[in-house]
Amino acid sequence: MTCTTSGATAMPRLFIAIELPEDVTAQVGRLCAGLPGIRWVDADQLHLTLRFVGEVAHDVFVDIGQGLAEISARPFELRLKGLGMFPPRGAPHTLWVGVSGPDGLAQLKRRVDRVVEEAGAESERRKFQPHVTIGRFREAPPEPRFGSWLAGRSLFTSSPFLVSGFSLYSSHLRPDGPLHAREATYDFVSGFAERV
């Protein structure tokens, strides 16, 4: 089990996510062009969020970090598939790629939620819709152009990839978009994989 800490003293704003392998990141990167008024997510910031935690006190941060190390699961396969936006109707603010896979993701999500809530963080109210955010709109795109862009990429499917762990991240808000820093990586088999 490995763990890494960034040494930040401010109240951390946390989330837990699955990292994407480089080949899948490259496939997603090829989608990120040809739309005006959007800020594309940098390739090294792409991830599949399992749980957004938000700002927590340091002791809760420590409890979450230790609890996540106790999660064990069988590795499972996922692939990214299809495109969508939030909100689903009206002017979009977020563009994302969907996720396709077996029950392993839902089981992992439940285990992560249990750890976070036992550590004292608030329960999550939103229904889990697994996705990878690829862009955030600065302004609503012209409808005909956006419709054409979506239609040309609607059949996107990534290569399958094996999920055998996840990471705990802190998020720092900036005017040009959030910057994510990996705080710790967890492996299903060995527990703590790395502390950053």
Side-chain angles (χ1 to χ4, degrees):
M1 156 165 139
T2 320
C3 175
T4 321
T5 35
S6 64
T9 55
M11 188 176 269
R13 186 173 182 264
L14 303 176
F15 66 93
I16 298 145
I18 294 169
E19 295 181 57
L20 304 179
E22 285 184 18
D23 62 324
V24 173
T25 298
Q27 291 165 26
V28 172
R30 290 193 281 275
L31 295 172
C32 300
L35 265 185
I38 191 168
R39 184 177 59 241
W40 298 108
V41 174
D42 291 339
D44 63 349
Q45 301 286 299
L46 293 170
H47 59 270
L48 194 174
T49 301
L50 290 166
R51 172 69 184 255
F52 177 75
V53 180
E55 290 187 355
V56 296
H58 184 71
D59 59 336
V60 176
F61 179 18
V62 171
D63 287 348
I64 289 172
Q66 292 174 345
L68 292 174
E70 302 300 318
I71 291 177
S72 63
R74 292 183 181 204
F76 56 88
E77 194 173 84
L78 289 179
R79 69 170 70 226
L80 304 184
K81 185 175 182 181
L83 292 164
M85 58 190 164
F86 294 134
R89 293 176 196 72
H93 57 71
T94 303
L95 184 64
W96 49 262
V97 177
V99 179
S100 173
D103 294 338
L105 182 61
Q107 292 170 1
L108 177 60
K109 163 72 172 160
R110 286 193 295 272
R111 291 173 184 165
V112 166
D113 284 344
R114 189 177 313 119
V115 165
V116 170
E117 287 159 24
E118 286 176 355
E122 288 185 23
S123 297
E124 196 165 39
R125 294 185 178 93
R126 290 181 297 185
K127 182 182 176 191
F128 181 51
Q129 182 169 356
H131 66 278
V132 175
T133 296
I134 62 171
R136 294 179 178 87
F137 290 97
R138 295 189 185 98
E139 57 192 48
E143 280 192 27
R145 183 163 182 179
F146 186 40
S148 172
W149 187 93
L150 278 176
R153 293 156 180 83
S154 62
L155 298 180
F156 170 77
T157 303
S158 76
S159 301
F161 58 97
L162 191 68
V163 176
S164 59
F166 57 93
S167 296
L168 174 64
Y169 290 87
S170 58
S171 179
H172 307 279
L173 299 178
R174 305 174 304 166
D176 56 341
L179 178 66
H180 309 310
R182 190 186 319 117
E183 299 289 339
T185 298
Y186 303 89
D187 184 89
F188 291 164
V189 178
S190 60
F192 237 152
E194 179 185 4
R195 181 173 286 155
V196 182

